[in-house]
Amino acid sequence: MPGFNIEDFKSELRSRNGVMRNNKFLVTFATPAVLLRNGPAASMNRSIEFWCESINLPGYQLMQHDTRRWTYGPSEKRPFAPNFQSLQCSFISDGDGGIWNLFNNWLQYILPHDTEEGFNRTRTLYGGYPYELEYKVNYVTQLNIAVFDETGKKKPINIICKEAFPSQVIDTNLNWADTNNTARVGVVFEYLDWYISRENEE
């Protein structure tokens, strides 16, 4: 049995353009219709790519059920539907609070609760009535996750998440003792499904 050859390993790495770095990525998404009503939020979205600190590439899971091979006998797994995991994003918070307000506004436009009057039939600042769901077509968008190679031009992985929207803004911890830390805004995104874009160059 042949042993490990370091030169063959180096050659394999060169042929594969080295290794993929997990810090060479870009997250962008089109401004959904509900945010176009809000000038500051729409403006913030145009620079969102500079503030996304981390995100996971979406996974793909096959939902399965047990079935009998011949209607009797041993049980085996059979897939019946796809399942897509949520996207977990972390955004560096800007000093103006624009990132936090962007996603808070987005959620409020989807399902508003922010009203000083309590529960009544008065429209909220976001246009809708408290706790009434907005039409899906108005709050979903296309979210793009591009992973770059070392040159920063080629995109070996370029994923488009269809009909994406934030489902949660995670609690942001504030602490007087953290004098040198930067606040982060955690956001969970849901989406219908995803596909691989064939675009490889910027």
Side-chain angles (χ1 to χ4, degrees):
M1 182 176 178
F4 177 78
N5 187 305
I6 189 64
E7 295 304 322
D8 288 345
F9 177 64
K10 291 179 179 178
S11 177
E12 175 68 13
L13 282 178
R14 286 192 295 270
S15 71
R16 300 284 182 177
N17 198 22
V19 296
M20 187 172 73
R21 308 290 183 182
N22 64 358
N23 65 337
K24 292 184 177 292
F25 69 94
L26 190 67
V27 176
T28 55
F29 51 81
T31 305
V34 289
L35 288 184
L36 291 176
R37 309 171 192 167
N38 185 304
S43 176
M44 186 73 238
N45 183 49
R46 286 193 289 270
S47 63
I48 199 69
E49 63 194 58
F50 302 115
W51 300 92
C52 185
E53 182 180 48
S54 66
I55 192 171
N56 58 293
L57 288 175
Y60 183 27
Q61 178 186 12
L62 295 177
M63 304 297 290
Q64 304 170 70
H65 63 79
D66 291 319
T67 186
R68 299 291 183 178
R69 187 174 299 175
W70 305 292
T71 69
Y72 65 92
S75 177
E76 62 179 279
K77 299 288 186 182
R78 293 282 180 87
F80 66 89
N83 185 42
F84 304 103
Q85 288 77 35
S86 302
L87 297 177
Q88 308 284 335
C89 305
S90 176
F91 294 87
I92 300 171
S93 185
D94 61 300
D96 290 336
I99 295 292
W100 189 89
N101 281 307
L102 168 70
F103 292 108
N104 179 68
N105 286 343
W106 198 343
L107 287 171
Q108 291 288 344
Y109 279 118
I110 295 173
L111 192 64
H113 76 85
D114 188 353
T115 174
E116 297 179 358
E117 304 299 327
F119 184 76
N120 55 40
R121 298 302 299 166
T122 303
R123 287 185 179 273
T124 68
L125 297 174
Y126 305 92
Y129 292 106
Y131 308 108
E132 287 192 352
L133 182 64
E134 175 63 83
Y135 289 108
K136 181 180 179 181
V137 67
N138 292 330
Y139 64 77
V140 297
T141 189
Q142 177 176 289
L143 188 147
N144 177 217
I145 307 171
V147 180
F148 296 90
D149 68 358
E150 291 286 358
T151 68
K153 293 183 178 180
K154 291 186 177 180
K155 303 173 185 176
I157 298 176
N158 193 18
I159 291 177
I160 307 295
C161 297
K162 298 187 292 186
E163 298 186 18
F165 65 94
S167 62
Q168 180 183 4
V169 174
I170 299 172
D171 297 348
T172 301
N173 292 323
L174 304 177
N175 189 332
W176 280 13
D178 289 341
T179 56
N180 295 317
N181 288 335
T182 302
R184 266 77 175 175
V185 179
V187 181
V188 179
F189 276 94
E190 308 298 337
Y191 52 94
L192 177 65
D193 59 18
W194 59 266
Y195 67 93
I196 299 172
S197 172
R198 304 305 171 188
E199 175 193 8
N200 195 41
E201 300 288 338
E202 287 203 304

